[in-house]
Protein backbone atom coordinates (compact mmCIF):
# COMPACT_ATOMS: atom_id res chain seq x y z
CA UNK A 1 0.00 0.00 0.00
CA UNK A 2 1.39 3.38 -0.88
CA UNK A 3 0.22 6.94 -1.26
CA UNK A 4 2.05 9.57 -3.33
CA UNK A 5 1.78 13.29 -2.59
CA UNK A 6 3.64 16.12 -4.30
CA UNK A 7 5.36 18.50 -1.90
CA UNK A 8 7.29 21.13 -3.89
CA UNK A 9 9.65 21.65 -6.82
CA UNK A 10 13.43 21.78 -6.72
CA UNK A 11 14.81 22.70 -10.12
CA UNK A 12 13.97 19.90 -12.53
CA UNK A 13 13.05 17.52 -9.70
CA UNK A 14 10.00 17.23 -7.50
CA UNK A 15 9.56 15.97 -3.96
CA UNK A 16 7.05 13.18 -3.44
CA UNK A 17 5.69 11.60 -0.30
CA UNK A 18 5.61 7.80 -0.54
CA UNK A 19 3.89 5.67 2.08
CA UNK A 20 4.75 1.98 2.40
CA UNK A 21 3.49 -0.72 4.76
CA UNK A 22 6.12 -2.29 7.02
CA UNK A 23 6.08 -5.83 8.45
CA UNK A 24 8.72 -5.85 11.23
CA UNK A 25 9.37 -9.07 13.14
CA UNK A 26 9.03 -9.30 16.93
CA UNK A 27 12.61 -8.20 17.60
CA UNK A 28 12.28 -5.23 15.29
CA UNK A 29 8.96 -4.26 16.90
CA UNK A 30 10.69 -4.15 20.28
CA UNK A 31 13.46 -2.03 18.77
CA UNK A 32 10.88 0.38 17.35
CA UNK A 33 9.20 0.74 20.75
CA UNK A 34 12.58 1.67 22.20
CA UNK A 35 13.25 4.19 19.40
CA UNK A 36 9.84 5.81 19.87
CA UNK A 37 10.60 6.17 23.57
CA UNK A 38 14.08 7.55 22.88
CA UNK A 39 12.64 10.41 20.85
CA UNK A 40 10.27 11.25 23.70
CA UNK A 41 13.14 11.07 26.20
CA UNK A 42 15.37 13.40 24.18
CA UNK A 43 12.53 15.92 23.70
CA UNK A 44 11.88 16.06 27.44
CA UNK A 45 15.61 16.19 28.26
CA UNK A 46 16.13 19.18 25.96
CA UNK A 47 13.06 20.86 27.45
CA UNK A 48 14.60 20.39 30.91
CA UNK A 49 17.89 21.82 29.65
CA UNK A 50 16.17 24.99 28.54
CA UNK A 51 14.06 25.44 31.67
CA UNK A 52 16.85 24.71 34.16
CA UNK A 53 19.87 26.37 32.59
CA UNK A 54 18.73 28.77 29.88
CA UNK A 55 15.66 30.58 31.14
CA UNK A 56 16.91 33.97 29.96
CA UNK A 57 17.30 32.79 26.36
CA UNK A 58 14.28 32.88 24.03
CA UNK A 59 15.21 29.42 22.73
CA UNK A 60 18.26 27.27 22.00
CA UNK A 61 19.13 26.68 18.35
CA UNK A 62 19.18 23.16 16.95
CA UNK A 63 22.98 23.20 16.65
CA UNK A 64 23.37 23.94 20.37
CA UNK A 65 20.90 21.21 21.19
CA UNK A 66 22.76 18.76 18.94
CA UNK A 67 25.95 19.59 20.85
CA UNK A 68 24.24 18.35 24.02
CA UNK A 69 23.38 14.97 22.50
CA UNK A 70 26.89 13.53 22.90
CA UNK A 71 27.10 13.81 26.71
CA UNK A 72 23.45 12.71 26.92
CA UNK A 73 24.26 9.46 25.06
CA UNK A 74 27.17 8.81 27.44
CA UNK A 75 24.89 9.25 30.42
CA UNK A 76 22.07 7.17 28.90
CA UNK A 77 23.57 4.44 26.65
CA UNK A 78 20.13 3.21 25.49
CA UNK A 79 19.91 6.30 23.25
CA UNK A 80 22.56 4.70 21.02
CA UNK A 81 19.96 2.18 19.83
CA UNK A 82 18.28 5.00 17.84
CA UNK A 83 19.31 6.36 14.48
CA UNK A 84 21.44 9.40 15.41
CA UNK A 85 19.75 11.53 12.76
CA UNK A 86 16.34 10.90 14.37
CA UNK A 87 17.50 12.49 17.64
CA UNK A 88 18.77 15.51 15.68
CA UNK A 89 15.36 15.80 14.01
CA UNK A 90 13.77 15.92 17.48
CA UNK A 91 15.98 18.92 18.28
CA UNK A 92 14.97 20.48 14.97
CA UNK A 93 11.27 20.05 15.76
CA UNK A 94 11.73 21.43 19.29
CA UNK A 95 13.59 24.49 17.99
CA UNK A 96 10.89 25.16 15.42
CA UNK A 97 8.19 24.82 18.10
CA UNK A 98 9.86 27.51 20.23
CA UNK A 99 10.27 29.77 17.20
CA UNK A 100 6.60 29.40 16.32
CA UNK A 101 5.63 30.25 19.90
CA UNK A 102 7.79 33.38 20.17
CA UNK A 103 6.95 34.63 16.67
CA UNK A 104 3.20 34.08 17.02
CA UNK A 105 1.26 37.34 17.37
CA UNK A 106 -2.23 35.84 17.45
CA UNK A 107 -1.81 34.01 20.75
CA UNK A 108 -3.12 30.77 19.26
CA UNK A 109 0.18 28.84 19.46
CA UNK A 110 1.06 27.62 22.94
CA UNK A 111 4.40 26.73 24.49
CA UNK A 112 5.98 23.38 23.64
CA UNK A 113 5.03 20.83 26.27
CA UNK A 114 6.73 17.82 27.78
CA UNK A 115 5.73 14.59 26.03
CA UNK A 116 3.84 12.07 28.13
CA UNK A 117 4.55 8.37 27.83
CA UNK A 118 0.82 7.66 28.07
CA UNK A 119 -0.16 9.84 25.10
CA UNK A 120 2.96 9.39 23.01
CA UNK A 121 2.54 9.48 19.23
CA UNK A 122 4.48 6.41 18.20
CA UNK A 123 6.71 7.61 15.38
CA UNK A 124 10.22 8.79 14.68
CA UNK A 125 11.81 10.67 11.78
CA UNK A 126 15.34 10.27 10.41
CA UNK A 127 17.53 11.53 7.57
CA UNK A 128 19.78 8.52 7.01
CA UNK A 129 20.03 6.54 3.77
CA UNK A 130 17.46 3.81 3.15
CA UNK A 131 18.36 1.07 0.67
CA UNK A 132 16.13 -1.34 -1.22
CA UNK A 133 16.95 -5.03 -0.96
CA UNK A 134 14.85 -6.87 -3.49
CA UNK A 135 11.14 -6.47 -4.19
CA UNK A 136 9.89 -6.75 -0.63
CA UNK A 137 12.70 -5.62 1.69
CA UNK A 138 14.27 -2.34 2.78
CA UNK A 139 17.40 -1.77 4.83
CA UNK A 140 16.55 0.78 7.54
CA UNK A 141 19.25 2.17 9.88
CA UNK A 142 19.47 0.30 13.23
CA UNK A 143 16.61 -2.04 12.22
CA UNK A 144 18.34 -3.90 9.42
CA UNK A 145 16.30 -5.61 6.70
CA UNK A 146 12.56 -5.05 7.17
CA UNK A 147 9.85 -6.66 5.06
CA UNK A 148 7.67 -4.12 3.27
CA UNK A 149 5.13 -3.73 0.49
CA UNK A 150 6.23 -3.21 -3.13
CA UNK A 151 9.45 -1.21 -3.45
CA UNK A 152 9.15 -0.58 -7.20
CA UNK A 153 7.93 2.99 -6.52
CA UNK A 154 11.39 3.77 -5.09
CA UNK A 155 13.19 3.35 -8.41
CA UNK A 156 15.07 6.49 -9.54
CA UNK A 157 14.34 8.20 -6.22
CA UNK A 158 16.57 9.90 -3.66
CA UNK A 159 15.18 9.70 -0.13
CA UNK A 160 15.53 12.96 1.79
CA UNK A 161 13.74 12.01 5.00
CA UNK A 162 11.84 9.03 6.37
CA UNK A 163 9.31 8.49 9.17
CA UNK A 164 8.32 5.20 10.79
CA UNK A 165 4.83 5.25 12.33
CA UNK A 166 2.82 2.80 14.42
CA UNK A 167 -0.84 3.65 13.81
CA UNK A 168 -3.66 2.93 16.31
CA UNK A 169 -4.70 0.01 14.08
CA UNK A 170 -1.47 -1.78 15.07
CA UNK A 171 0.02 -1.45 11.56
CA UNK A 172 3.48 -0.04 10.84
CA UNK A 173 4.07 2.38 7.98
CA UNK A 174 7.11 4.04 6.44
CA UNK A 175 6.59 7.54 5.03
CA UNK A 176 9.35 8.72 2.69
CA UNK A 177 10.08 12.18 1.32
CA UNK A 178 11.79 11.35 -1.96
CA UNK A 179 13.16 13.42 -4.82
CA UNK A 180 12.34 12.19 -8.33
CA UNK A 181 12.64 13.58 -11.89
CA UNK A 182 9.81 15.90 -12.92
CA UNK A 183 6.91 13.83 -14.33
CA UNK A 184 5.53 14.28 -17.85
CA UNK A 185 2.84 16.91 -18.34
CA UNK A 186 -0.69 16.02 -19.40
CA UNK A 187 -1.74 17.04 -22.90
CA UNK A 188 -3.72 20.31 -23.15
CA UNK A 189 -7.47 20.13 -23.82
CA UNK A 190 -8.34 23.87 -24.25
CA UNK A 191 -11.08 23.54 -21.60
CA UNK A 192 -11.78 25.64 -18.51
CA UNK A 193 -14.12 24.87 -15.63
CA UNK A 194 -15.40 26.40 -12.42
CA UNK A 195 -15.98 24.18 -9.40
CA UNK A 196 -18.34 24.84 -6.51
CA UNK A 197 -17.89 22.52 -3.52
CA UNK A 198 -20.87 21.28 -1.55
CA UNK A 199 -21.97 18.81 1.09
CA UNK A 200 -24.24 16.34 -0.73
CA UNK A 201 -22.26 16.79 -3.95
CA UNK A 202 -18.56 17.36 -3.38
CA UNK A 203 -17.82 19.03 -6.73
CA UNK A 204 -20.37 20.83 -8.92
CA UNK A 205 -18.92 21.87 -12.28
CA UNK A 206 -19.92 24.87 -14.36
CA UNK A 207 -20.86 22.54 -17.23
CA UNK A 208 -23.55 20.89 -15.10
CA UNK A 209 -21.67 17.76 -13.98
CA UNK A 210 -21.91 16.81 -10.31
CA UNK A 211 -19.65 14.46 -8.34
CA UNK A 212 -21.10 13.15 -5.03
CA UNK A 213 -19.29 13.26 -1.70
CA UNK A 214 -17.80 10.07 -0.32
CA UNK A 215 -20.40 8.17 1.71
CA UNK A 216 -18.87 6.94 4.98
CA UNK A 217 -22.13 6.13 6.79
CA UNK A 218 -21.38 2.38 6.85
CA UNK A 219 -18.01 2.87 8.55
CA UNK A 220 -19.44 5.51 10.90
CA UNK A 221 -22.08 3.05 12.17
CA UNK A 222 -19.46 0.36 12.80
CA UNK A 223 -17.14 2.89 14.49
CA UNK A 224 -20.00 4.04 16.77
CA UNK A 225 -20.66 0.45 17.85
CA UNK A 226 -17.03 -0.08 18.79
CA UNK A 227 -16.87 3.40 20.37
CA UNK A 228 -19.67 2.43 22.78
CA UNK A 229 -17.89 -0.80 23.67
CA UNK A 230 -14.58 1.06 24.03
CA UNK A 231 -16.09 3.72 26.31
CA UNK A 232 -17.89 1.18 28.49
CA UNK A 233 -14.83 -1.05 28.86
CA UNK A 234 -12.54 1.90 29.48
CA UNK A 235 -14.80 3.03 32.33
CA UNK A 236 -14.67 -0.44 33.90
CA UNK A 237 -10.90 -0.64 33.43
CA UNK A 238 -10.38 2.70 35.18
CA UNK A 239 -12.50 1.52 38.11
CA UNK A 240 -10.43 -1.66 38.43
CA UNK A 241 -7.14 0.26 38.25
CA UNK A 242 -8.33 2.68 40.95
CA UNK A 243 -9.42 -0.21 43.18
CA UNK A 244 -6.00 -1.81 42.82
CA UNK A 245 -4.32 1.47 43.80
CA UNK A 246 -6.59 2.01 46.79
CA UNK A 247 -6.04 -1.56 48.02
CA UNK A 248 -2.28 -1.12 47.45
CA UNK A 249 -1.91 -4.22 45.32
CA UNK A 250 1.76 -5.17 44.88
CA UNK A 251 1.43 -5.62 41.09
CA UNK A 252 -1.49 -3.41 39.94
CA UNK A 253 -2.63 -3.92 36.36
CA UNK A 254 -2.05 -1.14 33.86
CA UNK A 255 -4.55 0.05 31.26
CA UNK A 256 -2.61 -1.76 28.52
CA UNK A 257 -3.08 -5.17 30.17
CA UNK A 258 -6.85 -5.38 29.50
CA UNK A 259 -7.39 -7.42 26.31
CA UNK A 260 -11.06 -6.55 25.67
CA UNK A 261 -10.39 -2.83 26.03
CA UNK A 262 -7.49 -3.08 23.59
CA UNK A 263 -9.63 -5.06 21.12
CA UNK A 264 -12.38 -2.41 21.15
CA UNK A 265 -9.82 0.38 20.74
CA UNK A 266 -8.13 -1.33 17.79
CA UNK A 267 -11.41 -2.26 16.08
CA UNK A 268 -12.66 1.31 16.29
CA UNK A 269 -9.36 2.57 14.83
CA UNK A 270 -9.61 0.07 11.95
CA UNK A 271 -13.09 1.31 10.99
CA UNK A 272 -11.90 4.92 11.01
CA UNK A 273 -8.76 4.06 9.01
CA UNK A 274 -10.80 2.12 6.43
CA UNK A 275 -13.08 5.11 5.87
CA UNK A 276 -10.12 7.51 5.66
CA UNK A 277 -8.29 5.32 3.11
CA UNK A 278 -11.35 4.93 0.88
CA UNK A 279 -12.09 8.65 1.06
CA UNK A 280 -8.50 9.50 0.10
CA UNK A 281 -8.62 7.02 -2.79
CA UNK A 282 -11.88 8.56 -4.05
CA UNK A 283 -10.43 12.08 -3.90
CA UNK A 284 -7.27 10.99 -5.73
CA UNK A 285 -9.27 9.49 -8.59
CA UNK A 286 -11.59 12.50 -8.83
CA UNK A 287 -8.87 15.16 -8.77
CA UNK A 288 -6.72 13.26 -11.30
CA UNK A 289 -9.73 13.02 -13.63
CA UNK A 290 -10.40 16.77 -13.34
CA UNK A 291 -6.77 17.74 -13.96
CA UNK A 292 -6.67 15.52 -17.06
CA UNK A 293 -9.89 16.98 -18.47
CA UNK A 294 -9.35 20.74 -17.91
CA UNK A 295 -6.46 23.14 -18.46
CA UNK A 296 -7.82 25.89 -16.17
CA UNK A 297 -9.69 25.09 -12.96
CA UNK A 298 -11.29 27.86 -10.88
CA UNK A 299 -12.32 27.15 -7.28
CA UNK A 300 -13.52 29.15 -4.29
CA UNK A 301 -10.93 30.37 -1.78
CA UNK A 302 -12.85 28.98 1.18
CA UNK A 303 -11.64 29.17 4.79
CA UNK A 304 -12.62 25.66 5.81
CA UNK A 305 -11.56 26.12 9.43
CA UNK A 306 -13.93 29.08 9.83
CA UNK A 307 -16.80 27.25 8.10
CA UNK A 308 -16.46 24.32 10.51
CA UNK A 309 -17.37 26.61 13.40
CA UNK A 310 -20.96 26.14 12.21
CA UNK A 311 -21.91 23.10 14.28
CA UNK A 312 -24.77 22.19 11.94
CA UNK A 313 -22.40 21.77 8.97
CA UNK A 314 -19.06 20.93 10.60
CA UNK A 315 -19.44 17.13 10.38
CA UNK A 316 -20.62 17.23 6.75
CA UNK A 317 -17.79 19.55 5.72
CA UNK A 318 -15.23 17.33 7.44
CA UNK A 319 -16.65 14.23 5.74
CA UNK A 320 -16.55 15.93 2.31
CA UNK A 321 -12.86 16.83 2.92
CA UNK A 322 -12.89 20.17 1.12
CA UNK A 323 -9.38 20.99 2.31
CA UNK A 324 -7.89 17.71 1.08
CA UNK A 325 -9.73 18.10 -2.23
CA UNK A 326 -8.18 21.53 -2.78
CA UNK A 327 -4.69 20.44 -1.74
CA UNK A 328 -4.77 17.57 -4.22
CA UNK A 329 -5.91 19.89 -7.02
CA UNK A 330 -3.13 22.36 -6.17
CA UNK A 331 -0.20 19.98 -6.35
CA UNK A 332 -1.56 17.96 -9.29
CA UNK A 333 -2.13 21.12 -11.36
CA UNK A 334 1.43 22.20 -10.59
CA UNK A 335 2.70 18.70 -11.28
CA UNK A 336 0.97 18.16 -14.64
CA UNK A 337 1.23 21.67 -16.05
CA UNK A 338 -2.35 22.87 -15.49
CA UNK A 339 -3.62 26.12 -13.91
CA UNK A 340 -5.58 26.37 -10.65
CA UNK A 341 -7.15 29.72 -9.71
CA UNK A 342 -8.66 30.46 -6.27
CA UNK A 343 -11.28 33.23 -6.35
CA UNK A 344 -13.20 35.20 -3.73
CA UNK A 345 -16.39 33.25 -2.86
CA UNK A 346 -18.36 36.42 -2.12
CA UNK A 347 -21.80 36.54 -3.83
CA UNK A 348 -21.19 33.51 -6.05
CA UNK A 349 -24.55 32.06 -4.95
CA UNK A 350 -26.42 35.38 -5.17
CA UNK A 351 -25.52 36.69 -8.62
CA UNK A 352 -27.31 35.55 -11.76
CA UNK A 353 -24.66 34.07 -14.05
CA UNK A 354 -26.58 35.27 -17.14
CA UNK A 355 -27.40 38.95 -16.40
CA UNK A 356 -25.29 39.63 -13.29
CA UNK A 357 -28.21 40.70 -11.07
CA UNK A 358 -27.65 40.23 -7.32
CA UNK A 359 -30.87 38.86 -5.82
CA UNK A 360 -29.58 38.70 -2.24
CA UNK A 361 -28.92 35.95 0.26
CA UNK A 362 -30.78 32.64 0.02
CA UNK A 363 -31.25 29.96 2.73
CA UNK A 364 -29.52 26.62 2.17
CA UNK A 365 -32.92 24.96 1.68
CA UNK A 366 -33.37 26.81 -1.64
CA UNK A 367 -31.62 24.68 -4.28
CA UNK A 368 -33.23 26.30 -7.35
CA UNK A 369 -34.30 29.90 -7.96
CA UNK A 370 -35.49 32.20 -10.74
CA UNK A 371 -33.71 35.49 -11.46
CA UNK A 372 -36.16 38.38 -10.83
CA UNK A 373 -34.60 40.41 -13.65
CA UNK A 374 -34.09 38.03 -16.61
CA UNK A 375 -36.40 35.19 -15.43
CA UNK A 376 -33.67 32.58 -15.89
CA UNK A 377 -34.12 29.45 -13.78
CA UNK A 378 -30.92 28.46 -11.97
CA UNK A 379 -29.65 25.44 -10.14
CA UNK A 380 -28.03 27.08 -7.10
CA UNK A 381 -24.75 25.12 -7.23
CA UNK A 382 -24.28 25.15 -11.02
CA UNK A 383 -24.96 28.91 -11.11
CA UNK A 384 -22.30 29.40 -8.40
CA UNK A 385 -19.82 27.28 -10.39
CA UNK A 386 -20.39 29.41 -13.51
CA UNK A 387 -19.81 32.60 -11.47
CA UNK A 388 -16.61 31.08 -10.08
CA UNK A 389 -15.42 30.40 -13.64
CA UNK A 390 -16.20 34.01 -14.64
CA UNK A 391 -14.20 35.32 -11.68
CA UNK A 392 -11.34 32.94 -12.45
CA UNK A 393 -11.22 34.08 -16.07
CA UNK A 394 -11.07 37.73 -15.03
CA UNK A 395 -8.37 37.01 -12.45
CA UNK A 396 -6.31 35.02 -14.95
CA UNK A 397 -5.76 37.73 -17.55
CA UNK A 398 -7.44 40.85 -16.23
CA UNK A 399 -10.03 41.05 -19.01
CA UNK A 400 -11.68 37.63 -19.15
CA UNK A 401 -11.45 34.47 -21.21
CA UNK A 402 -13.93 32.93 -23.59
CA UNK A 403 -15.86 30.48 -21.43
CA UNK A 404 -15.51 26.93 -22.70
CA UNK A 405 -17.52 24.38 -20.73
CA UNK A 406 -17.82 21.51 -23.21
Amino acid sequence: MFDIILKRKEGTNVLKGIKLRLYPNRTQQNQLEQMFGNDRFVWNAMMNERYQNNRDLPFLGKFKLNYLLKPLKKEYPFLKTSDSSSLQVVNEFLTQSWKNFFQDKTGQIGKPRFHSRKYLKKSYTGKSIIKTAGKRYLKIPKLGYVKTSKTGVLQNTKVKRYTVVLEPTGKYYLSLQAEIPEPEKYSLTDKQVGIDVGVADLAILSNGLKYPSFNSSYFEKKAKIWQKKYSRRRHLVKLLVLQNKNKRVLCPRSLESFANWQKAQKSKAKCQAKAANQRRDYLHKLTTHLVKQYDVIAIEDLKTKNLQKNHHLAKSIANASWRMFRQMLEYKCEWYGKKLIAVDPKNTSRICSKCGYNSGAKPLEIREWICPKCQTKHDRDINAAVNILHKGSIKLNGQGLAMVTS
Side-chain angles (χ1 to χ4, degrees), residues 9 141 146 162 167 214 253 256 281 283 330 392 403:
K9 286 192 174 183
V146 184
Y162 73 93
E167 294 194 346
F214 173 75
R253 296 174 67 184
E256 291 75 16
D281 179 69
L283 291 175
E330 284 178 350
M403 185 175 64

Side-chain angles (χ1 to χ4, degrees), residues 43 51 59 93-113 305:
W43 175 283
Y51 276 110
F59 53 81
F93 289 160
L94 180 59
T95 303
Q96 189 60 47
S97 297
W98 280 113
K99 284 183 178 179
N100 293 340
F101 169 69
F102 286 111
Q103 294 174 0
D104 176 46
K105 297 181 180 179
T106 62
Q108 296 180 355
I109 300 178
K111 283 184 179 180
R113 297 181 180 182
K305 191 174 182 180

Side-chain angles (χ1 to χ4, degrees), residues 50-256:
R50 182 197 181 272
Y51 276 110
Q52 292 176 2
N53 303 324
N54 300 282
R55 294 187 179 186
D56 297 332
L57 297 176
F59 53 81
L60 290 175
K62 61 180 180 181
F63 298 108
K64 292 182 179 179
L65 292 178
N66 289 341
Y67 182 77
L68 300 175
L69 281 176
K70 191 172 182 179
L72 196 66
K73 287 182 179 179
K74 288 184 178 179
E75 187 176 357
Y76 303 99
F78 60 83
L79 293 177
K80 295 179 181 179
T81 59
S82 288
D83 179 4
S84 59
S85 66
S86 70
L87 304 182
Q88 294 173 3
V89 171
V90 172
N91 291 338
E92 184 180 328
F93 289 160
L94 180 59
T95 303
Q96 189 60 47
S97 297
W98 280 113
K99 284 183 178 179
N100 293 340
F101 169 69
F102 286 111
Q103 294 174 0
D104 176 46
K105 297 181 180 179
T106 62
Q108 296 180 355
I109 300 178
K111 283 184 179 180
R113 297 181 180 182
F114 289 92
H115 286 178
S116 169
R117 182 182 301 171
K118 188 181 296 184
Y119 303 106
L120 174 68
K121 179 184 177 183
K122 296 192 174 182
S123 68
Y124 78 91
T125 302
K127 295 182 179 179
S128 300
I129 297 175
I130 291 183
K131 298 179 180 179
T132 58
K135 294 182 179 180
R136 298 293 300 274
Y137 283 89
L138 290 173
K139 188 176 182 181
I140 302 176
K142 297 294 183 178
L143 290 175
Y145 294 97
V146 184
K147 188 177 181 180
T148 181
S149 51
K150 297 178 182 179
T151 58
V153 292
L154 299 181
Q155 292 181 356
N156 302 323
T157 61
K158 181 180 179 182
V159 176
K160 295 284 189 178
R161 181 174 292 194
Y162 73 93
T163 302
V164 180
V165 183
L166 172 60
E167 294 194 346
T169 57
K171 297 178 181 179
Y172 291 86
Y173 289 95
L174 177 67
S175 296
L176 301 170
Q177 190 184 72
E179 184 179 312
I180 65 164
E182 188 175 1
E184 294 183 5
K185 302 289 191 288
Y186 285 150
S187 58
L188 300 179
T189 61
D190 295 328
K191 294 181 182 179
Q192 303 92 36
V193 72
I195 300 178
D196 179 51
V197 292
V199 175
D201 294 310
L202 172 61
I204 302 93
L205 276 55
S206 54
N207 55 14
L209 294 176
K210 295 184 179 182
Y211 296 93
S213 297
F214 173 75
N215 185 8
S216 62
S217 58
Y218 172 75
F219 300 103
E220 287 178 0
K221 289 179 182 178
K222 291 189 69 175
K224 281 182 180 179
I225 293 172
W226 284 109
Q227 176 62 42
K228 288 181 181 179
K229 294 181 180 180
Y230 168 75
S231 300
R232 184 166 60 249
R233 291 170 182 175
R234 181 177 176 82
H235 177 68
L236 294 174
V237 165
K238 283 188 174 181
L239 288 177
L240 289 172
V241 171
L242 286 173
Q243 287 177 5
N244 289 340
K245 287 184 178 179
N246 293 334
K247 293 179 181 178
R248 297 183 179 180
V249 178
L250 292 177
C251 299
R253 296 174 67 184
S254 63
L255 286 172
E256 291 75 16

Side-chain angles (χ1 to χ4, degrees), residues 34-53:
Q34 179 66 50
M35 295 166 85
F36 297 150
N38 288 351
D39 275 25
R40 177 194 61 83
F41 183 86
V42 169
W43 175 283
N44 291 341
M46 296 307 173
M47 288 281 288
N48 273 325
E49 185 68 26
R50 182 197 181 272
Y51 276 110
Q52 292 176 2
N53 303 324

Side-chain angles (χ1 to χ4, degrees), residues 300-314:
E300 292 177 294
D301 189 14
L302 295 173
K303 306 299 180 185
T304 308
K305 191 174 182 180
N306 295 336
L307 290 171
Q308 287 186 319
K309 293 179 181 178
N310 184 339
H311 300 296
H312 298 288
L313 296 175

